[in-house]
């Protein structure tokens, strides 16, 4: 949901800036906007657009750069990071629970102990830091290393990507 908002806002700002820079914007009338333009804020005090955005940036913890676009970009980046963290958490829960048994049912022939759920739990940072090495897993499960690598790359990773998309991941 937030990633959709971030994408929409970036797109909206992009086209509004293009409109402002276009000589034919606003039906032939060039509209000049200034960040120094005086406006009334919520407390009926006179302020400027720049001060308002800078103040919102301070409220959001983005005091490092008071410029409008930089503060807004920092805020959008924070929203995107929160969205990604939420997706990772949901993916971790899905892997742990495997409600459809999709991950458990995806394994190399004759090696159900090396299913996608187990491999994900052992190879992904969200479960184990540092993650296990494929060589160690292959040795423990007595499976050919190359078979395990192929299974991970050709079956497990695409399956995890599919699950992530179902959970709301959208590639840029």
């Amino acid at each position: 949901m937030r990633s959709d908002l971030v994408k929409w806002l970036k797109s909206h700002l992009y086209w509004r800036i293009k409109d402002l820079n276009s000589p034919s914007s606003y039906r032939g009338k060039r509209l000049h906007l200034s960040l120094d333009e005086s406006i009334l804020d919520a407390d009926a005090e006179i302020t400027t657009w720049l001060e308002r955005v800078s103040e919102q940036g301070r409220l959001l913890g983005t005091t490092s750069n008071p410029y409008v676009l930089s503060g807004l970009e920092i805020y959008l980046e924070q929203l995107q990071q929160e969205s990604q963290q939420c997706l990772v958490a949901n993916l971790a829960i899905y892997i742990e629970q495997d409600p459809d048994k999709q991950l458990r049912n995806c394994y190399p022939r004759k090696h159900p102990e090396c299913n996608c759920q187990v491999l994900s739990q052992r190879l992904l940072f969200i479960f184990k830091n540092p993650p296990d090495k494929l060589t160690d897993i292959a040795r423990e499960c007595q499976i050919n290393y190359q078979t395990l690598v192929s299974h991970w790359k050709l079956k497990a990773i695409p399956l995890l990507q599919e699950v992530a998309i179902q959970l709301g991941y959208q590639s840029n």
Side-chain angles (χ1 to χ4, degrees):
M1 176 92 173
R2 283 190 176 185
S3 65
D4 291 339
L5 174 65
V6 170
K7 285 181 183 178
W8 177 85
L9 190 53
K10 282 184 175 181
S11 173
H12 180 76
L13 290 174
Y14 173 79
W15 289 109
R16 295 301 67 85
I17 290 171
K18 275 201 114 31
D19 285 345
L20 290 174
N21 291 330
S22 168
S24 62
S25 64
Y26 300 98
R27 296 188 173 101
K29 297 178 185 174
R30 178 94 175 161
L31 180 62
H32 295 279
L33 296 177
S34 171
L35 295 176
D36 297 321
E37 179 183 338
S38 296
I39 56 170
L40 288 176
D41 65 8
D43 300 326
E45 293 182 17
I46 296 176
T47 186
T48 65
W49 286 111
L50 181 61
E51 289 171 350
R52 178 181 275 180
V53 173
S54 295
E55 180 60 31
Q56 288 174 348
R58 280 191 284 281
L59 294 174
L60 294 170
T62 59
T63 57
S64 61
N65 196 342
Y67 297 107
V68 177
L69 290 179
S70 297
L72 185 58
E73 287 172 352
I74 290 170
Y75 175 66
L76 292 175
E77 183 67 28
Q78 288 173 342
L79 287 177
Q80 197 167 17
Q81 286 176 355
E82 289 173 17
S83 175
Q84 289 172 352
Q85 290 170 352
C86 183
L87 176 66
V88 169
N90 289 338
L91 183 60
I93 291 168
Y94 184 92
I95 292 170
E96 283 289 332
Q97 296 175 352
D98 192 17
D100 304 328
K101 295 184 177 40
Q102 267 187 302
L103 301 175
R104 278 176 261 179
N105 291 333
C106 180
Y107 53 85
R109 194 175 322 165
K110 299 180 184 177
H111 291 281
E113 73 280 5
C114 290
N115 63 56
C116 292
Q117 182 185 35
V118 170
L119 291 175
S120 298
Q121 291 169 335
R122 294 188 66 179
L123 294 172
L124 300 178
F125 280 102
I126 55 177
F127 295 105
K128 199 166 189 180
N129 193 5
D132 290 335
K133 295 179 181 176
L134 280 170
T135 53
D136 297 336
I137 298 170
R139 195 175 315 113
E140 287 174 29
C141 296
Q142 297 177 349
I143 183 174
N144 179 288
Y145 171 76
Q146 206 52 49
T147 301
L148 188 61
V149 169
S150 295
H151 174 71
W152 175 247
K153 288 183 179 179
L154 299 176
K155 300 288 184 176
I157 291 176
L159 182 57
L160 291 172
Q161 289 171 337
E162 186 179 307
V163 169
I165 289 169
Q166 290 172 2
L167 294 173
Y169 173 76
Q170 296 174 351
S171 60
N172 292 336

